[in-house]
């Protein structure tokens, strides 16, 4: 029998709050509705009833977040692409502004270039 180590989820209130400091990384709006939109993919440790790691977030406004999560007008690939592009922009901008918490490892976004 193979045993698997349980994933230690990354949870960071400061990181989630920092995401609110940015404009929407998809449409650019700054309307006060921007929040950290977690990845919906298993690769980021999303599971039934469990959000992905807090380091797998994108700063998105309410409209774009809704489009992503209830995206009946977008294909699965379009939703994945939308989130990944916004995620890369979010990570870069939080690091650039010095808002990425020092105790949270910065995701390797080079694979998304």
């Amino acid at each position: 029998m193979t045993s698997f180590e349980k994933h230690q989820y990354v949870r960071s209130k400061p990181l989630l709050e920092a995401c609110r400091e940015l404009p929407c990384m998809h449409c650019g709006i700054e309307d006060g509705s921007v929040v950290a939109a977690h990845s919906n993919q298993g690769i980021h440790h999303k599971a039934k009833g469990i959000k992905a790691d807090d380091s797998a977030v994108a700063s998105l406004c309410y409209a774009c977040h809704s489009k992503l999560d209830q995206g009946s007008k977008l294909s699965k690939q379009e939703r994945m692409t939308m989130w990944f592009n916004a995620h890369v922009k979010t990570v870069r901008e939080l690091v650039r502004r010095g808002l990425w918490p020092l105790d949270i490892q910065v995701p390797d976004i080079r694979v998304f270039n």
Side-chain angles (χ1 to χ4, degrees), residues 28-45:
I29 198 167
E30 295 184 63
D31 66 353
S33 73
V34 175
V35 296
H38 287 80
S39 169
N40 290 324
Q41 300 172 54
I43 191 170
H44 299 118
H45 307 287

Side-chain angles (χ1 to χ4, degrees), residues 9-47:
Y9 282 88
V10 174
R11 299 293 179 232
S12 173
K13 188 172 183 176
L15 177 55
L16 300 181
E17 289 174 358
C19 288
R20 298 176 65 86
E21 299 290 319
L22 304 179
C24 178
M25 292 289 114
H26 181 68
C27 74
I29 198 167
E30 295 184 63
D31 66 353
S33 73
V34 175
V35 296
H38 287 80
S39 169
N40 290 324
Q41 300 172 54
I43 191 170
H44 299 118
H45 307 287
K46 163 72 172 124

Side-chain angles (χ1 to χ4, degrees), residues 7-12 15 38 52-56 103-105:
H7 178 70
Q8 295 296 319
Y9 282 88
V10 174
R11 299 293 179 232
S12 173
L15 177 55
H38 287 80
D53 286 327
D54 286 353
S55 57
D103 62 330
I104 303 296
Q105 183 176 347

Side-chain angles (χ1 to χ4, degrees), residues 97-112:
R97 292 185 185 197
L99 295 173
W100 192 276
L102 297 176
D103 62 330
I104 303 296
Q105 183 176 347
V106 177
D108 183 0
I109 57 173
R110 292 173 299 168
V111 296
F112 304 123

